[in-house]
Structure formats: C-alpha cells, structure tokens
Amino acid sequence: MNFNPMDNQDGILMYCAQSEEGLGDFVALVVKDERVEFRYDIGSGLAIIRSNHVLRPGVWTHVSVNRDFKEGNLTINGEPTIGGKSPGTARTMTLNTLLYIGGVDRRRITVNKNAGVNRTFRGCISDVSSS
C-alpha cells in the first residue's frame, strides 16, 4: 500500500475484524503518533509492530505488512523489516467483516479498542495489493 497523509493526525489505513461489534480477532494498519503501526490479535493477546519512520504530511510512503501465524512483519519504504509476534498459544485468525481501507463504516462497525485508533485516515491511499 502507498499512502500520503494530509496532516499529522492518527487514522486507520486498513481494518478487518472477527465481529462488527469490535470483539475478538482483528487486524489493523494505522497511523498513530506520526508512525505506522501494524496491530493484530489472533485470540491470545495483542501484537503491536511500530515503525521508527516518522511520517510527514504530503510525502508518499510505501508500507508492506504480513502475518504468518503469530509472527508479523512491517516494512516502510524498503527500510529494514520490523518484526513482532502475538503472545499466547493461538496461531490462526478469524475475520468475518469486510476489509476496510482508510476508515470504517461507523454505521456497521465498532473498531476494536486495541486497534489504538478510531479515526478515518485523511489523505490519499493507492496501490493496495495482497500477495
């Protein structure tokens, strides 16, 4: 995914969850405190993988994330990958909601509190892909 923030505010880049009520498993890619965070919970605890790269409004950023069972990776602009993993014994994730890009439909979704951000992203998002 590539994105270009309009400002320094926090925002949801991508979100998907087990339930529309904000309970259970979830995965989120967010801008928080001018950095990108990859957050997920596979049922046994929260993983937070935080970039050291400080975002600047008006500057395009490329982010790549992946998760393999408990382990997750975050790469910003081709810099060295930052890894992390969720605690506990759970290994798989159950996701039932739609995949939201740039924010969520607040009429349908309550964002899991552990996503850390509940605001819509302000800016441009392009080149969203999966591999």
Side-chain angles (χ1 to χ4, degrees):
M1 165 189 296
N2 293 318
F3 69 95
N4 185 342
M6 284 180 57
D7 51 38
N8 288 326
Q9 295 185 11
D10 296 350
I12 296 171
L13 294 169
M14 183 266 312
Y15 179 82
C16 193
Q18 183 173 359
S19 76
E20 294 179 345
E21 293 78 30
L23 305 172
D25 298 354
F26 78 93
V27 60
L29 185 64
V30 300
V31 173
K32 185 167 176 65
D33 301 326
E34 299 179 14
R35 289 181 167 72
V36 176
E37 290 186 355
F38 180 37
R39 292 171 165 246
Y40 58 91
D41 189 334
I42 59 176
S44 59
L46 177 65
I48 301 173
I49 304 171
R50 182 177 168 91
S51 166
N52 294 320
H53 180 84
V54 177
L55 300 172
R56 292 185 325 190
V59 176
W60 283 97
T61 299
H62 177 76
V63 61
S64 177
V65 296
N66 74 314
R67 185 191 64 82
D68 187 19
F69 296 110
K70 296 172 58 159
E71 304 204 8
N73 293 301
L74 169 68
T75 306
I76 303 288
N77 294 335
E79 295 176 1
T81 298
I82 301 166
K85 67 180 187 176
S86 62
T89 59
R91 297 182 48 175
T92 61
M93 180 181 290
T94 302
L95 300 175
N96 297 316
T97 68
L98 298 172
L99 173 65
Y100 290 93
I101 304 294
V104 300
D105 180 352
R106 294 189 191 284
R107 295 168 295 177
R108 295 185 64 173
I109 294 287
T110 299
V111 175
N112 187 301
K113 66 179 182 339
N114 289 324
V117 175
N118 196 16
R119 299 182 54 149
T120 298
F121 173 74
R122 291 173 32 98
C124 297
I125 296 175
S126 71
D127 298 324
V128 177
S129 65
S130 65
S131 56

